[in-house]
Amino acid sequence: MSSIPAAQLTSLPTYASVTNTRLKSLYSDFTYQKHSNPTSYASNVEWWRNTLEAALLRGWLSESSTASSPSDKLVLHAYGVAFADRFRVEGVGKPLSIPTVVFELCSSKALIPLSDFLSASRSIYDPGWLPYRIASFVVGKPLWWALGQLGIVESNGAVFGDSGTTERWKKVRGDYVAVSLLESAAERILERQRLKSTGHVADTLYNVDGFRAEFSECAFEGATLSGTDIKVLLKFLERDKGVIIVRGEVIKFVDEGTSQASEVSAVDTGILALKTSVEKLQVQVDNVQHRIDQLTQQTSNALRQKRKEIAMTHLRARKQFEEVLKKRLSSLELLRTTLIRVETSAGDVEIMKAYESSTATLREVLAHPLLQREKIDETMDAMAAANADAREVQDAIQLGAELAQADTGVDDADIEAELEALAKEVEDDKAHARDQQLGAPELRPPTHVPAQEEALTTSEREIVPVAL
């Protein structure tokens, strides 16, 4: 494998964001920092995870790729020191901790060995997935041997970091599924399927070639999935997401989580065969039409060059292709009509199943003892009696309240008269306050003359000296 050009490496977001000093640290053997500096260790592993995924997605980690055989975008092929050489940087060297990174990413299930991923019957999201693997190794074997097979310890009991780079590569070399990229690709495929689906049964059915043609270029912008990627995606969508059923060459999309309850029926297989035939025939029609257009252009060119015989030859060929096109269009129309009728009939079957299920459910509900005529009449009579009892209780409470109010001996008319007098007094006080604010003379009530003073005789008043 040749090194990735420096211009390509520096174009990655991870490289653009680090200094040369930081890059040297990332390229050093930081395996022993796991216990001495766990924060830096975790940061380095995460940086390399992002770098490896970005390079993998761009197809830089494959030896070669062509339009017919694109590079893997979801499977990382980590095969020893030559793999690390791909990331060699002038003045920095090659990274020494790639096997440590692969080991850590496997431990966190960011990377999963390809063979384990394809053969596992349990979901990768099952918490017991890794312990299950360990247990399967342990049966009949010592524990240290099982852990050694998983790359956790060496066969002699030494931990992973105790060995050199070459020995570490021997433990982790292999093919790995990049889970983060896989999840992203699956979400884009499901979104495309939701957008293109029109509710017809045929929209949910694909063969492997049809699935690849429909989804291989939509998973990642500017990237095409390989055959291995498609195989990994189908396994993930079926086992881990539960959104498809794969039976042989038939791939059927179902509602999430219902794949175990659904099956690929003979009707599904027949509809897929019709759909595939329509698609193939449409391709033939397009090709024939393209050939007719070419012959028309060639005829015109020959006439302009005054090559009559050549023009006649092109015209005869075009007539033949036009006859073929007419037959193909007739067959295409017939197949499309048949497909529509089969889909409609299949939909009618589902509708009738829903009707049948609804009818059975309704009858079961109506058969409940509480919905029998006698029970309904009994319940309604009891409800009427309870309402009558409630009204009697309410009337008794109201009567008792009226009697209690009468026993207090308070006349409502007296209370109202007193309330009016108080209100009038308040109004008089307000008027008096307004008069004072306007400067009106204060009117005082006449002073009360005591009865003793009124009893004074005239002669007593006369002896009071008069002031001159």
Side-chain angles (χ1 to χ4, degrees):
M1 292 185 180
S2 58
S3 299
I4 301 173
Q8 291 184 350
L9 278 179
T10 55
S11 69
L12 295 178
T14 51
Y15 279 83
S17 62
V18 297
T19 62
N20 192 60
T21 302
R22 170 65 173 151
L23 189 62
K24 290 180 178 179
S25 174
L26 290 164
Y27 271 57
S28 66
D29 186 2
F30 54 79
T31 304
Y32 301 100
Q33 293 182 359
K34 183 170 185 177
H35 301 293
S36 62
N37 191 353
T39 301
S40 177
Y41 180 84
S43 176
N44 292 347
V45 171
E46 181 64 14
W47 186 91
W48 273 110
R49 182 185 72 82
N50 293 328
T51 299
L52 291 174
E53 290 180 355
L56 178 62
L57 190 57
R58 288 163 173 78
W60 297 348
L61 301 183
S62 296
E63 187 65 29
S64 62
S65 63
T66 62
S68 60
S69 180
S71 61
D72 295 335
K73 306 300 186 303
L74 304 178
V75 179
L76 180 71
H77 304 283
Y79 284 97
V81 178
F83 179 82
D85 285 337
R86 304 280 287 176
F87 296 92
R88 182 180 293 276
V89 173
E90 188 68 27
V92 179
K94 65 181 180 181
L96 301 178
S97 295
I98 294 291
T100 299
V101 172
V102 173
F103 171 79
E104 287 296 336
L105 294 181
C106 287
S107 299
S108 63
K109 293 207 299 188
L111 293 178
I112 297 177
L114 177 62
S115 58
D116 290 351
F117 181 89
L118 294 177
S119 62
S121 59
R122 303 175 68 175
S123 171
I124 63 172
Y125 299 117
D126 190 331
W129 192 72
L130 183 59
Y132 173 79
R133 288 181 54 217
I134 295 177
S136 66
F137 277 116
V138 167
V139 176
K141 303 289 193 307
L143 178 60
W144 61 263
W145 184 91
L147 297 178
Q149 296 301 307
L150 295 173
I152 298 174
V153 300
E154 294 185 14
S155 58
N156 60 4
V159 297
F160 180 83
D162 290 344
S163 54
T165 301
T166 303
E167 291 300 317
R168 294 174 198 161
W169 268 118
K170 290 181 180 179
K171 300 172 189 176
V172 300
R173 61 180 293 137
D175 303 318
Y176 298 92
V177 176
V179 176
S180 176
L181 296 179
L182 175 61
E183 292 173 335
S184 178
E187 286 303 317
R188 291 200 177 192
I189 286 175
L190 292 177
E191 180 63 22
R192 181 179 179 87
Q193 174 63 20
R194 284 191 289 266
L195 292 176
K196 73 176 290 291
S197 179
T198 60
H200 296 149
V201 178
D203 293 335
T204 66
L205 297 169
Y206 299 89
N207 56 24
V208 176
D209 292 335
F211 185 91
R212 181 185 297 109
E214 183 67 38
F215 300 110
S216 64
E217 296 184 359
C218 78
F220 300 107
E221 186 175 354
T224 302
L225 298 179
S226 67
T228 303
D229 294 333
I230 295 297
K231 185 186 298 185
V232 169
L233 264 169
L234 290 176
K235 176 62 70 173
F236 180 72
L237 291 173
E238 180 183 26
R239 180 192 61 207
D240 305 304
K241 299 292 286 185
V243 293
I244 65 170
I245 307 172
V246 181
R247 296 294 180 269
E249 286 292 312
V250 181
I251 301 168
K252 180 180 180 181
F253 278 87
V254 296
D255 293 334
E256 187 169 358
T258 62
S259 62
Q260 299 302 321
S262 303
E263 291 295 336
V264 175
S265 64
V267 174
D268 294 328
T269 304
I271 291 176
L272 178 59
L274 277 172
K275 175 185 176 181
T276 304
S277 298
V278 169
E279 291 173 347
K280 290 181 177 179
L281 198 53
Q282 182 64 59
V283 172
Q284 293 181 24
V285 167
D286 294 339
N287 291 335
V288 172
Q289 183 62 59
H290 178 68
R291 184 58 179 153
I292 291 173
D293 294 338
Q294 283 183 331
L295 289 170
T296 301
Q297 184 64 37
Q298 291 173 356
T299 302
S300 300
N301 293 338
L303 289 175
R304 281 195 297 270
Q305 297 172 6
K306 296 181 180 181
R307 297 179 178 180
K308 184 177 178 180
E309 293 299 326
I310 296 178
M312 291 294 292
T313 302
H314 291 328
L315 280 176
R316 290 191 189 96
R318 192 183 73 173
K319 289 292 184 182
Q320 294 174 351
F321 277 108
E322 286 175 347
E323 289 297 324
V324 173
L325 179 61
K326 183 177 180 180
K327 293 179 181 179
R328 293 291 184 268
L329 287 174
S330 178
S331 300
L332 180 59
E333 182 180 2
L334 178 59
L335 283 176
R336 281 178 173 169
T337 301
T338 304
L339 177 58
I340 292 173
R341 288 175 178 172
V342 171
E343 282 190 305
T344 302
S345 299
D348 292 341
V349 170
E350 294 300 321
I351 291 173
M352 292 306 299
K353 286 182 179 179
Y355 286 166
E356 184 178 9
S357 176
S358 300
T359 302
T361 302
L362 181 59
R363 290 188 181 280
E364 183 177 354
V365 171
L366 293 176
H368 195 280
L370 290 177
L371 297 181
Q372 302 307 306
R373 182 69 186 187
E374 297 79 4
K375 187 63 176 179
I376 294 174
D377 292 340
E378 178 184 346
T379 301
M380 299 308 294
D381 292 342
M383 182 180 293
N387 286 332
D389 293 341
R391 283 194 297 271
E392 291 180 1
V393 171
Q394 185 176 2
D395 292 342
I397 293 174
Q398 182 66 26
L399 179 60
E402 293 176 354
L403 293 175
Q405 184 176 7
D407 291 342
T408 59
V410 180
D411 190 355
D412 289 343
D414 293 340
I415 294 176
E416 290 180 0
E418 184 176 353
L419 182 61
E420 290 179 0
L422 291 173
K424 187 175 184 306
E425 183 177 345
V426 170
E427 290 297 328
D428 291 342
D429 291 340
K430 289 182 179 180
H432 178 66
R434 284 196 298 271
D435 291 342
Q436 286 184 339
Q437 291 176 357
L438 295 175
E442 183 178 1
L443 298 178
R444 297 182 179 178
T447 305
H448 179 68
V449 179
Q452 183 179 0
E453 187 175 333
E454 291 178 356
L456 292 176
T457 62
T458 304
S459 59
E460 287 174 339
R461 294 191 186 98
E462 291 177 350
I463 64 175
V464 175
V466 177
L468 297 178

